Every structure is written in C-alpha cells, then in structure tokens.
Amino acid sequence: MAMVGLFWIAEGDVYVGAKPSGLAAGVRLTPEGVVALGDKQSAFYPWDEVRALTVEDAPVKSLKRQVGVLVDMALTVGLGGSDDAPAMTVRLARPESEETELTAYVAAATGYSQTEHDLSLTLLTHMTKGEATLRTTLAAMAEWGRAREGGSPRAADRERLLREWGGGDPA
C-alpha cells in the first residue's frame, strides 16, 4: 500500500483518500466507474455519467497545520479529546443532476503538499477526459501499485508519478 498525492493505492486498487475498512466512508476508482463505499454512501457511478471529479477540503501542509496535528494528538491521548479522522469531500458532476458529494478520509496525517494536492486535482480532471484516457491512467496506477513494495515513495517520486499519470511531463 502506498500514498501518492490524494490517492491511496493498495495492490491494484486506487482510492481517493485513505482506503476504508469496515463501514467507513471511502471512494474507489475502478475502470468501470466511481464506487462510493461505506454505510451511508454506498453507490456506483459509471464513468460515462461522470463529467467532472474533484476534491475539496483536502488539508494542505503548513507549519500551523503540523503544530495543530501535534496538539490534537496530545489532547486525544492525554485528555480524551476527539478521535474523529479528518475527511475530505469528493465531488462528482453528472449530467442532468446536481453534484454528488462523497466522503473520503484523509490519508496524510499532517496534510498533503501543495504540489501533490494540485497535481492530484489535475490527474482527476485528466481521468474525466474520456474512456481511453481513464483506462490508461487507472491501469498505470494499478500496475504501479501491484509492483510497489515498501510503502509510499519520497515526495519527488510521488510528484513525478502524478505528472506521468496525468499526461504531463514526468520531469
């Protein structure tokens, strides 16, 4: 399993945000469509019905955020504070219907780098350009995930992968 930008890639499965377990909310991207997972949002949206896909509320790393995470951990452990996992909103635009909002949990404890955040949003836009683009992109992500061992790559490698998968220059 590895995190690359806003994506969690576990073997051949690609998720937006953290891979859910049990009844937890999550969003999985498959060659057939977007799968909303979890107790309160279980649904399937075929790609031919998805006009746009984006993420809101994804935390971006900052010194203030990193200090806040450390304070929250101290309060949670020491004083019985909240242990709610941070979540982000995945928005699907579909023809002739209102936008659909799905919940995905954040995989990066201190947030995502601004570069990875922006490249991830570009990659999501790239996926909605058409079936050939989508299938090629998801196949490359899944293949990388199946071959990957040892956790998430370093930041520079994550950024390179996001650029490559998004159809941009891998440099």
Side-chain angles (χ1 to χ4, degrees):
M1 295 190 293
M3 184 181 66
V4 179
L6 301 179
F7 303 96
W8 189 261
I9 304 170
E11 296 175 1
D13 296 333
V14 178
Y15 298 87
V16 178
K19 178 182 177 181
S21 67
L23 299 176
V27 176
R28 182 174 170 215
L29 305 177
T30 71
E32 294 78 28
V34 178
V35 182
L37 303 165
D39 187 34
K40 295 180 177 131
Q41 68 175 24
S42 182
F44 174 74
Y45 304 94
W47 283 111
D48 62 352
E49 293 181 12
V50 177
R51 297 291 175 250
L53 187 60
T54 191
V55 175
E56 295 179 0
D57 309 321
V60 175
K61 280 184 187 177
S62 68
L63 180 58
K64 182 179 177 182
R65 175 152 179 77
Q66 289 174 325
V67 169
V69 167
L70 293 174
V71 169
D72 285 348
M73 280 196 303
L75 289 174
T76 298
V77 173
L79 302 175
S82 171
D83 60 356
D84 293 337
M88 52 192 177
T89 302
V90 179
R91 288 190 183 277
L92 280 85
R94 298 182 301 144
E96 301 179 22
S97 79
E98 292 186 30
E99 284 188 346
T100 301
E101 292 184 359
L102 305 172
T103 299
Y105 289 105
V106 173
T110 59
Y112 302 95
S113 76
Q114 186 68 56
T115 301
E116 285 186 73
H117 174 272
D118 295 346
L119 288 169
S120 295
L121 295 181
T122 299
L123 179 54
L124 286 169
T125 299
H126 180 72
M127 287 184 188
T128 60
K129 287 183 178 178
E131 185 176 348
T133 301
L134 165 75
R135 289 192 182 277
T136 301
T137 302
L138 279 177
M141 294 172 81
E143 181 180 323
W144 178 87
R146 283 189 290 274
R148 177 74 186 167
E149 293 180 18
S152 299
R154 295 185 171 271
D157 293 329
R158 294 191 307 263
E159 291 173 13
R160 180 188 52 76
L161 285 166
L162 290 166
R163 282 186 182 93
E164 182 181 307
W165 294 335
D169 182 11

